[in-house]
Amino acid sequence: MSTGHAAYHHASKGWFSGHRVIGGPEAWLIWVLATTFVVWLFAIQTGYAVVSPDIQKTASLTIAQIGLAASIYTWVFALVQFFSGALLDRFGSRPLMAIAVAFVAVGAFLYAGTTNFATLAIAQTVLAIGSSFGFVGAGYLGGKWFGAAKYGLMFGLVQTFASLGSAIGQPVILAALDNLTWQELLVAFGGFGVLLVVLFFAFVRNPAPQPGEPVEAAHGNVFGEIFRDLGKSFADIRVDLSAVLAGASFGAMLAVGTLWGPRIMEARGAETGFATLLTALAWLGLAIGAPIVNVVSDRWHSRKWPAFWGLLLQALAIALVIYLPVEGKGFALVLMFAIGFFAGAHMLGFTIAGESVPGSLVGSASAIVNGVCFIIGGLLTSIPSALLPDEPTLADFQSALWLLPAVVVVGALAAIAISEKPRAAAAVDAA
């Protein structure tokens, strides 16, 4: 073989196969696409809160039906979430992730065409099915394309962009509605989804198997294999404890950042606009805290202790928001940011779960953690609601919201109970 031919052969091999390994240019392209998917679906979810009054008016729905539609999303998401990770483990990202994006795009178009409750309920169902693959799918792809050592960091960065999307989503949507109808806005969301589907089909896949990496053969009983994978993940006590710590932290963050933080500040006399700003600031804090906690964890050579201290400080910040009899906007801004920042510790739950199982079960373990986060978030939103009167005062909020810091403390105790796994062993298991 001539020198020129050999060089060409080497370059061709490097482009068509070398860039298909972890950490290469294709890894970053796929991670960016997966993260864009998460930010996009978060924007649609955020947008529901903004456009639901217009949907209610246009479709002649009651407020109870609007609330029921939101609950349908929660129920479907929580159910499908536990299966999404196992499906990714079994079939890989291609074509599952592209199909998930397509479901969200169809959900957006159904939203735009809402004329009655049935259409809205179907839209919520379709959207929830696709969305259940978003966050876990992005984490799964990050783990596959960047390796076990960077799994937690890449997952934290996904949470950063998702949180930033939540922080700016509502103001951007409100501004867009000055020039578009809500139907046009949702059609635009759906149109972007179509483009994203094409890009996912074209580019998103798992990296080529590494030398010596076992390739698991497909089996006939798909559901049996899924339940087997979930059972193996649930059987690991470190996965269970990591789900508790992550669920307690993110569940409380979700409850405070979307509902109770602004409400209790309004009860203290804050204006609605300022209360909305507090919500954005909490998500901004999470955007900054999510990747930092993994860096701190690596420097401390520990997962449990950064998680413990993060959750403990988050519980303290929530308790101060609820009970400290201090007025002032500066105080509220600092505390709401602190709640989100320290809630970044919940990302260690995903890291611990991913390091606790073989690489073939990373998706299942991540889905369990994210599912528990979602379930606890829903409970911490709904349970205090049932304890409050129709027109609650500050004292009523303080009587009902003790559950939030208490649950986060339980999560901190779960973090202490997690045994530290040697980093070398964790990397071998996750490979």
Side-chain angles (χ1 to χ4, degrees):
M1 182 182 293
S2 69
T3 304
H5 190 196
Y8 173 79
H9 176 76
H10 178 77
S12 298
K13 184 178 179 181
W15 175 250
F16 288 108
S17 63
H19 75 298
R20 294 290 307 283
V21 299
I22 60 174
E26 190 173 15
W28 282 104
L29 172 62
I30 290 174
W31 183 85
V32 167
L33 286 174
T35 303
T36 301
F37 175 34
V38 175
V39 174
W40 170 64
L41 70 86
F42 266 58
I44 296 176
Q45 293 169 357
T46 303
Y48 181 72
V50 178
V51 303
S52 58
D54 294 325
I55 294 177
Q56 179 182 346
K57 181 179 179 181
T58 303
S60 300
L61 303 177
T62 66
I63 186 62
Q65 288 175 315
I66 292 294
L68 178 58
S71 298
I72 289 173
Y73 177 91
T74 302
W75 299 331
V76 174
F77 184 98
L79 176 64
V80 179
Q81 177 70 97
F82 288 104
F83 294 93
S84 61
L87 287 169
L88 286 166
D89 284 333
R90 180 171 177 78
F91 296 107
S93 58
R94 182 183 179 91
L96 278 179
M97 290 299 291
I99 294 173
V101 178
F103 265 86
V104 178
V106 171
F109 285 125
L110 287 172
Y111 268 137
T114 296
T115 56
N116 52 48
F117 176 74
T119 309
L120 182 59
I122 293 172
Q124 289 281 39
T125 300
V126 173
L127 181 63
I129 292 172
S131 297
S132 67
F133 287 83
F135 191 66
V136 166
Y140 171 87
L141 285 166
K144 290 295 183 182
W145 279 98
F146 289 90
K150 294 184 179 179
Y151 172 74
L153 176 61
M154 300 309 295
F155 218 159
L157 289 174
V158 173
Q159 180 65 73
T160 292
F161 285 101
S163 299
L164 287 173
S166 297
I168 67 175
Q170 288 192 4
V172 170
I173 289 172
L174 283 172
L177 288 174
D178 290 337
N179 300 302
L180 300 172
T181 67
W182 66 269
Q183 293 99 331
E184 291 171 337
L185 178 63
L186 288 170
V187 166
F189 272 122
F192 179 80
V194 172
L195 173 61
L196 207 55
V197 168
V198 173
L199 293 174
F200 265 68
F201 269 117
F203 297 109
V204 174
R205 65 204 71 203
N206 288 334
Q210 302 302 300
E213 180 179 332
V215 179
E216 185 175 346
H219 301 282
N221 187 352
V222 175
F223 286 102
E225 293 292 330
I226 291 174
F227 282 111
R228 182 205 66 180
D229 290 350
L230 287 172
K232 286 183 177 180
S233 299
F234 271 118
D236 192 310
I237 186 63
R238 297 180 85 244
V239 173
D240 299 331
L241 291 172
S242 66
V244 173
L245 85 85
S249 177
F250 184 76
M253 164 63 204
L254 194 64
V256 172
T258 60
L259 181 61
W260 300 125
R263 293 297 174 269
I264 199 167
M265 289 302 174
E266 288 175 354
R268 291 182 183 275
E271 298 177 354
T272 301
F274 180 69
T276 302
L277 174 63
L278 293 176
T279 301
L281 197 61
W283 287 110
L284 179 61
L286 180 59
I288 296 174
I292 288 179
V293 71
N294 275 287
V295 175
V296 171
S297 174
D298 288 338
R299 288 185 177 275
W300 285 13
H301 302 289
S302 171
R303 302 300 189 203
K304 62 188 291 182
W305 291 113
F308 169 74
W309 288 111
L311 266 66
L312 204 62
L313 291 170
Q314 180 189 1
L316 176 62
I318 293 174
L320 290 175
V321 166
I322 298 172
Y323 298 109
L324 193 63
V326 177
E327 306 294 338
K329 291 184 177 181
F331 158 77
L333 291 170
V334 170
L335 285 182
M336 288 297 286
F337 178 86
I339 290 173
F341 180 81
F342 291 119
H346 87 276
M347 292 305 303
L348 288 176
F350 291 96
T351 305
I352 294 168
E355 292 176 344
S356 301
V357 298
S360 60
L361 297 177
V362 167
S364 299
S366 298
I368 288 171
V369 174
N370 202 43
V372 172
C373 287
F374 203 86
I375 290 170
I376 294 180
L379 290 174
L380 293 181
T381 300
S382 60
I383 292 176
S385 298
L387 302 177
L388 290 170
D390 292 337
E391 297 183 3
T393 64
L394 177 59
D396 294 323
F397 281 116
Q398 292 174 333
S399 297
L401 295 181
W402 62 268
L403 187 62
L404 274 65
V407 166
V408 179
V409 170
V410 171
L413 296 177
I416 290 181
I418 296 174
S419 60
E420 295 280 19
K421 194 168 189 176
R423 298 296 299 279
V428 170
D429 287 349

